[in-house]
Amino acid sequence: ITCAEILDLWNIPLRALNINVRKRLGLFLNPRNTVASDWMSVAENMGFSYIEIKNYEDCLDPTRRILEDWQARCPGAKVGKLLSILDNVDRKDVVEDLRDLIEEDCRRYIERQNEPPVQVPEVDSCVPRTPERQGITLEDDPEGGIPELFDAFICYCQSDFDFVHEMIQQLEQTDHKLKLCVFDRDVLPGSCVWTITSELIEKRCKRMVVVISDEYLDSDACDFQTKFALSLCPGARSKRLIPVKYRSMKKPFPSILRFLTVCDYTRPCTQSWFWVRLARALSLP
């Protein structure tokens, strides 16, 4: 029995693929090819519009960008679906060349999912911390060079994914050119979620945007991220929080954030200023 027969690649999320596989995909698909299908054909099969595909042409690595954005906005972005798309655009050469590496990533992903949860001690960012960790995001240098840095960490729950994707389009793919840290897109699998999250919020991101919704109030991950950011020592308060409310809520607004100015997308009279205000706040030194 082969690994392919054991693994159900159609149920393994795209985030299981590490940076090495993504870079190799780019080597195959980024060059414009008049004979074989390139990244544009793959993007079209992923459901990207003509305008979106044209915007990706300016990217240094369009394959990486379409993989990130497809993963961020599509719940059906699975490894099996990606292989099916490559097969549909007649890039069986890519599938055959990378299949072993892809299956190895998927096998490791499944093993990590089956590991028992790690007990996380009480958060106290005022005590000395371990040296900065390397190799936790897609663009980190595997050799331990300069770590990837971001303008803002985005705190969100899965039900607010569509708004996060719009945030990516409005703040990263426009003249604002901000760099957001979106966990499901940017973080490599395989490490303790709480450890990586605290590392990103405290050391890698200048600010944190908190997407507030009724579902946010029920999210343990969002609760941890928000309280951790608020618990930072006074000397680290440059990591300012920016609450964002993008839809009406039935539950009360979280009390721990009431003292902060809210960027409110639900008010029609201020919607036209919303993205400019948010971008300006994230661009401050």
Side-chain angles (χ1 to χ4, degrees), residues 55-255:
N55 287 334
Y56 288 125
E57 287 184 335
D58 294 331
C59 298
L60 294 176
D61 188 352
T63 299
R64 178 180 67 84
R65 288 299 300 273
I66 64 171
L67 289 174
E68 291 173 355
D69 290 351
W70 187 50
Q71 174 180 317
R73 78 181 194 179
C74 179
K78 309 291 186 181
V79 174
K81 179 62 175 178
L82 175 62
L83 297 183
S84 175
I85 288 173
L86 290 171
D87 190 65
N88 288 340
V89 299
D90 292 325
R91 292 309 303 263
K92 297 179 179 64
D93 58 316
V94 180
V95 176
E96 291 305 315
D97 191 82
L98 300 183
R99 181 175 290 278
D100 289 345
L101 292 175
I102 290 173
E103 290 178 353
E104 178 64 17
D105 278 355
C106 293
R107 183 185 62 78
R108 290 177 178 174
Y109 173 82
I110 291 174
E111 290 175 353
R112 288 190 292 267
Q113 298 305 301
N114 292 331
E115 290 176 355
V118 178
Q119 294 296 320
V120 182
E122 182 178 354
V123 174
D124 184 1
S125 65
C126 295
V127 300
R129 298 180 60 80
T130 56
E132 189 161 345
R133 296 169 179 82
Q134 303 293 336
I136 63 175
T137 64
L138 280 171
E139 293 300 308
D140 269 351
D141 184 351
E143 303 300 323
I146 298 175
E148 186 176 13
L149 302 177
F150 303 87
D151 292 301
F153 182 92
I154 310 302
C155 172
Y156 64 96
C157 61
Q158 294 298 313
S159 62
D160 299 322
F161 226 25
D162 287 344
F163 181 73
V164 172
H165 184 259
E166 184 178 359
M167 189 180 297
I168 291 171
Q169 292 179 319
Q170 294 288 342
L171 300 179
E172 288 190 341
Q173 300 172 9
T174 60
D175 291 338
H176 299 304
K177 298 188 182 302
L178 292 167
K179 190 174 178 64
L180 308 179
C181 181
V182 179
F183 196 94
D184 290 284
R185 180 190 70 174
D186 297 310
V187 177
L188 298 175
S191 299
C192 174
V193 172
W194 314 114
T195 303
I196 296 303
T197 300
S198 59
E199 183 84 17
L200 290 167
I201 293 172
E202 184 174 9
K203 295 186 176 182
R204 303 285 195 93
C205 302
K206 291 195 299 182
R207 288 175 174 79
M208 185 165 110
V209 175
V210 185
V211 181
I212 307 296
S213 65
D214 287 330
E215 290 76 13
Y216 160 89
L217 297 171
D218 297 325
S219 169
D220 291 337
C222 290
D223 183 66
F224 172 86
Q225 292 164 14
T226 303
K227 289 179 178 177
F228 176 83
L230 290 172
S231 74
L232 293 175
C233 297
R237 284 199 179 274
S238 59
K239 310 297 190 294
R240 288 189 289 270
L241 273 72
I242 302 175
V244 169
K245 181 181 177 184
Y246 82 98
R247 55 175 168 156
S248 59
M249 298 175 59
K250 296 179 180 178
K251 299 178 181 178
F253 194 84
S255 58

Side-chain angles (χ1 to χ4, degrees), residues 36-47:
S37 299
D38 55 22
W39 67 270
M40 299 180 76
S41 299
V42 173
E44 185 178 356
N45 276 261
M46 287 176 173

